[in-house]
Amino acid sequence: MNEIIYITGVSKGLGKEMAMLFLDKGHRVVGIGRSHDISHDKFEFISCDLADLDQVKAIAFDHHSPAVLINNAGLIGPLNRFLDASVSSSLDVLTVNTLAVMQLTHAFLANTEQKRTVVTISSGAATRSIPGWAAYCASKAAVDRFMETVQLECDEKGWPHRLFSASPGVIDTPMQEAIRSANPTEFSSLTTFIGLNENNELQSPEEIAQKVASLIANQSNYPCLLHLRDVVD
Ligand SMILES: NC(=O)c1ccc[n+]([C@@H]2O[C@H](COP(=O)([O-])OP(=O)(O)OC[C@H]3O[C@@H](n4cnc5c(N)ncnc54)[C@H](OP(=O)(O)O)[C@@H]3O)[C@@H](O)[C@H]2O)c1
């Protein structure tokens, strides 16, 4: 039987592309987020603002069926220097990118006997500090450490779950459009991101969605922390 695929953030970008791919492959897909425009008889939607942890805590997973959780939803946040902005403008970034991931991963893995898989979409920003992205870099670095630590804990206990924190590289999604609209005086890497787009160096969401599907299908070949370019289709 095909697993249920839970995906956060299916309104656009990579999340929507992954939802469509897994539906095409015959999976039941459950989207979690604020909105969507997917119409398919195997698609269900749980409405949730991931920046509101009370809403996140209310999410219940099916513990009886084989299932995969893809923590995809992400927020780049304010594209300016941390000391020039209010701290509060960064808090949603940590909540959506890190705290919601922790809450959902716990709800998905705790109290189930079944082997389960969790893939969190990380970023190169987890290991590279980019001025203007302090909260985003911190949130993705935290997610990498979180996913790897929980994997080690599962291994210690002999729990069969697999956890992955997968860095996708630069993808042609609305998030990149938002990055390119930053103020050049506040975001010093702006020309780099404009150049990547002008030189057609962005990867398509379709190819990255396929990489995630290949990772899930061949997970014994890969470590917890990985770059999706290393996944063989
Ligand atoms: N694009 C890249 O180059 C790139 C590179 C490295 C890593 N990533 C990571 O890849 C993942 C997908 O990014 P993307 O490029 O597809 O981004 P995107 O186009 O901006 O889409 C982000 C998704 O997250 C959802 N989301 C954001 N805040 C939310 C909230 N409070 N509650 C519920 N859903 C929320 C959005 O839903 P709404 O429509 O409701 O806002 C949307 O569905 C993210 O984790 C991102 O950090 C992207």
Side-chain angles (χ1 to χ4, degrees), residues 97-116:
N97 296 3
T98 308
L99 300 181
V101 169
M102 295 171 77
Q103 175 63 41
L104 290 175
T105 300
H106 189 279
F108 186 68
L109 294 182
N111 307 315
T112 179
E113 302 272 302
Q114 304 217 23
K115 176 195 179 296
R116 300 223 131 164

Side-chain angles (χ1 to χ4, degrees), residues 8-16 32-35 48-52 71-76 96-97 121-124 136 140 167-176 179 202:
T8 62
V10 292
S11 65
K12 58 192 176 190
L14 178 61
K16 182 174 182 182
I32 301 170
R34 292 186 290 202
S35 68
C48 178
D49 180 348
L50 295 167
D52 179 342
N71 290 305
N72 162 78
L75 197 59
I76 189 78
V96 173
N97 296 3
I121 307 299
S122 181
S123 167
Y136 185 74
K140 295 295 187 178
S167 179
V170 186
I171 325 165
D172 190 6
T173 66
M175 182 179 281
Q176 283 295 319
I179 292 168
L202 301 183

Side-chain angles (χ1 to χ4, degrees), residues 118-124 126-127 144-145 147-148 151 162-169 211-212 214-216 218-232:
V118 181
V119 177
T120 297
I121 307 299
S122 181
S123 167
T127 51
D144 273 6
R145 281 283 73 72
M147 294 293 286
E148 194 173 48
Q151 180 67 75
R162 286 304 315 272
L163 294 92
F164 297 98
S165 202
S167 179
K211 291 282 188 188
V212 174
S214 299
L215 167 65
I216 291 167
N218 302 295
Q219 44 189 271
S220 59
N221 297 346
Y222 299 103
C224 174
L225 300 186
L226 75 156
H227 198 296
L228 287 174
R229 70 173 164 244
D230 297 327
V231 172
V232 179

